[in-house]
Amino acid sequence: MSKAIQQNPASSQSLPQSLPQLLTRAASHAGRKAENQDTLTVQTLVPTRDSSAAQLAWQVTALADGVSSCGQPKLASQWVIDTLIDQLTMHQADMVTNPVTSPVTTPVTSPVTSDSLNNNSAETLAQMLTKSVHIINDFLYFSDHHDSFDSASQRYLPKLLSTLSGLLFTEPLLSEHSAVLFHTGDSRIYRLRHNKLRVLTQDHRHKRGRDKGALAAALGADAQVELQLAQIDVLPEDVFLIMTDGVYEFIGDDELLLLTQSALGKLLALDNSTTLDLENLPETLCQVALENGSNDNVSCVMIAVLPKVARILANADFDKADLAEHTDSRHAVTRLRIPPVLTVGDKLDHFTIDKVVQNTPRSSVYLATDNTADTGDNQRIIKVPSAYYEDDSGFLRLFLKEEKIGLSLNHPSLLKFYPKPMNSQYLYHVTEFLQGMSLREFIDTQPPLSVAQTFAIVNQIGMALRAMHRNYLLHQDIKPENIMLLPSGHIKLIDFGSVGSLLLKTAHTPPVGDLHYIAPEYFSDAPKGVYSDIFSLGVVTYEMLTGLQPFDVDTLTTAMTAQTTQKLAFKNVRQLRTDLPFWVNDVLIRALQADSNRRYQSIGDFLTDLDPKSHADDKAKQPLIDKHPVLFWQLVSGILTVLLLITWLMVALNH
């Protein structure tokens, strides 16, 4: 049976009489899964029991779908819904105590009236929803619960991931016949109007041919949130449906339209004397999806705008101070403070500063002793963001994102991150201390490397990138400055500040790395992938072999035009070094294709082709000019000499 949302009715005198009325029902089932990972809510929020404030009532209808690939999908979806309601309740209370007439950031002192939210009310609510969703995302993404390692897939799973889709109706907005839509993920919001069914949301998915594609956005998946916000118009007899992919993927649009029309038509034909058919619509849709083969959780919420159906309002009691404290404790960006400028001998948690390594406008880097670690391995690098960015939440989110990514990765060729103390009040990174030099320093001070030397380094970089790619991450800033050469001969790939997700749309456009090493697709809206990192690695390989970069920035920025998608022109490495094998240039040509479809699609294929051992048998197939150039030209000279003699003899005989 459907879950009818039971709420306490409010006094009819507290509501404007001209408003459309809302009938809301919901259904949710685990289906063929062991656990129902969906969470839904329909709540009417009234700031006080005072009837004069009832005109600020909001109806929140929201559906969250925990992502199955994360560690605790049900916990994620439940937390998203609970926190959303908490945040909106706080915002609503703030509006009662500090009403606004223009954006929420501008308080006024006038008393609450029915017109106090009319100006920019949709904009105000959009700001509130944006802030609330960012707080939710910050907690999920920057949670102290680190990603868990899945032995089956051999990768780290994010702890908490969830989609979120919903509608927010308010008294002023309804009087203006509109509502606010908010959405991220692959659930959908439909509207039936005048016998036409329309999808109001975008499917945040990466399409793969005829396949439905992979999820492209979810709360907790990245430091940035891809959030669809829209003010939508509302008319009497509109029916809104919010449903998960487990429902709509197994009900065609024609069948969905027929079922919804039928339920609404029966209700209207009976002059609203019964709502049975429409009340059962969410349950009907869920059952039809299961009968059609859905193997996922099935959840559906319906909101019908029917003037003759009594609207249900609820009273909400809360302690604003306790709620604010509870929520702020979850908000990593605002909870942590930037440490003051440090000097030698200063203490930061259980670290003692030994040396100031670097101070830049963006950050400070220190060498420190970890007083809790073993004496033999107690040196750490501390990176602190500049106080200049204290109010830049975007910068701070990216800073926290770098730490999260570093803590989730574990590979000998990737920079190792250490967790801060759990009770730390400060924002900073802790990494291992590396002794050695960057590949940039090495290239600038050494002659070009041999193929074997180059491969020894590139192979380690490739293994580090493969570990990232298996965790669906792109490095996106591969360059000699971000590759450390250790005295042991091992390498470390560092700097995760530009990392993006392979599953989500977090690859940067425009690029944030060194433009000489960036793949051409970063200068356009073309998809980014493993092949993008391979391009950058190809540029580094070319530079190690020749001491030169293959392209200038202008060449790369124009390489995605229709006329130049076949290949990028660069100087043949054998023109710069005749001692290099003939096949090296062929490998680089494929790695440095402008068209990503013609480029290497996996790190393994690139490394195999670059490995000199893979070409051990090529000596026999190699042209003589490449195998023995001196002998080749000696033979050519000898043949020419013989031909000249023959020509001379023939001329002499004819005379």
Side-chain angles (χ1 to χ4, degrees), residues 292-365:
N292 290 346
S294 177
N295 57 358
D296 201 351
N297 302 147
V298 289
S299 297
C300 179
V301 188
M302 177 206 70
I303 307 121
V305 186
L306 302 172
K308 296 183 181 181
V309 178
R311 186 164 188 232
I312 301 172
L313 293 174
N315 296 312
D317 296 319
F318 60 92
D319 187 324
K320 180 185 174 185
D322 291 345
L323 189 58
E325 182 181 355
H326 177 64
T327 304
D328 287 344
S329 68
R330 302 169 176 176
H331 190 192
V333 173
T334 59
R335 176 170 58 85
L336 299 176
R337 295 186 291 127
I338 295 177
V341 176
L342 302 173
T343 60
V344 175
D346 286 345
K347 298 291 182 66
L348 179 63
D349 293 330
H350 54 66
F351 299 97
T352 302
I353 304 302
D354 299 324
K355 180 181 179 181
V356 179
V357 179
Q358 187 180 28
N359 277 319
T360 72
R362 295 175 63 87
S363 63
S364 297
V365 180

Side-chain angles (χ1 to χ4, degrees), residues 43-47 56-60 84-85 88-89 92 313-314 316:
Q43 293 196 39
T44 302
L45 307 178
V46 180
L56 296 179
W58 300 347
Q59 179 174 292
V60 185
L84 175 68
I85 298 302
L88 293 179
T89 303
Q92 192 179 57
L313 293 174

Side-chain angles (χ1 to χ4, degrees), residues 12 15-24 174 177 234-240 264 267-268 271-273 275 278 303-312:
S12 59
L15 299 176
Q17 298 300 309
S18 62
L19 293 180
Q21 306 300 304
L22 303 180
L23 173 69
T24 308
L174 276 177
H177 303 288
V234 178
L235 297 178
E237 301 181 13
D238 280 349
V239 177
F240 296 92
L264 181 62
L267 174 63
L268 298 176
D271 194 27
N272 298 345
S273 61
T275 61
L278 198 62
I303 307 121
V305 186
L306 302 172
K308 296 183 181 181
V309 178
R311 186 164 188 232
I312 301 172

Side-chain angles (χ1 to χ4, degrees), residues 289-485:
L290 291 173
E291 292 170 3
N292 290 346
S294 177
N295 57 358
D296 201 351
N297 302 147
V298 289
S299 297
C300 179
V301 188
M302 177 206 70
I303 307 121
V305 186
L306 302 172
K308 296 183 181 181
V309 178
R311 186 164 188 232
I312 301 172
L313 293 174
N315 296 312
D317 296 319
F318 60 92
D319 187 324
K320 180 185 174 185
D322 291 345
L323 189 58
E325 182 181 355
H326 177 64
T327 304
D328 287 344
S329 68
R330 302 169 176 176
H331 190 192
V333 173
T334 59
R335 176 170 58 85
L336 299 176
R337 295 186 291 127
I338 295 177
V341 176
L342 302 173
T343 60
V344 175
D346 286 345
K347 298 291 182 66
L348 179 63
D349 293 330
H350 54 66
F351 299 97
T352 302
I353 304 302
D354 299 324
K355 180 181 179 181
V356 179
V357 179
Q358 187 180 28
N359 277 319
T360 72
R362 295 175 63 87
S363 63
S364 297
V365 180
Y366 307 95
L367 178 64
T369 298
D370 184 349
N371 298 310
T372 65
D374 295 335
T375 308
D377 183 26
N378 62 356
Q379 287 195 300
R380 303 285 185 262
I381 290 294
I382 304 291
K383 184 177 181 181
V384 177
S386 170
Y388 177 79
Y389 293 94
E390 186 175 10
D391 297 325
D392 189 337
S393 61
F395 177 85
L396 297 181
R397 284 192 179 95
L398 291 176
F399 191 86
L400 282 165
K401 174 185 175 180
E402 184 175 1
E403 179 189 40
K404 176 181 172 67
I405 291 170
L407 290 171
S408 72
L409 296 170
N410 183 21
H411 190 274
S413 293
L414 290 171
L415 179 67
K416 183 177 182 178
F417 276 67
Y418 295 91
K420 298 191 300 288
M422 293 292 291
N423 60 349
S424 179
Q425 303 178 16
Y426 297 105
L427 182 61
Y428 60 95
H429 296 168
V430 184
T431 69
E432 62 182 321
F433 171 54
L434 301 177
Q435 296 185 12
M437 67 172 64
S438 70
L439 183 59
R440 166 59 60 215
E441 296 174 292
F442 188 78
I443 291 175
D444 290 346
T445 57
Q446 301 292 324
L449 304 182
S450 68
V451 177
Q453 292 170 322
T454 299
F455 177 75
I457 295 174
V458 172
N459 187 56
Q460 292 186 66
I461 304 171
M463 293 297 101
L465 286 174
R466 177 181 283 179
M468 297 187 69
H469 295 163
R470 286 177 174 174
N471 281 278
Y472 304 108
L473 297 172
L474 295 177
H475 188 278
Q476 301 192 126
D477 194 18
I478 301 167
K479 57 185 179 182
E481 288 81 357
N482 288 337
I483 300 165
M484 292 293 296
L485 304 181

Side-chain angles (χ1 to χ4, degrees), residues 594-611:
D595 185 353
S596 61
N597 294 317
R598 299 167 61 88
R599 206 178 301 156
Y600 285 105
Q601 300 298 300
S602 74
I603 289 289
D605 289 345
F606 172 65
L607 295 178
T608 297
D609 285 355
L610 190 63
D611 187 354

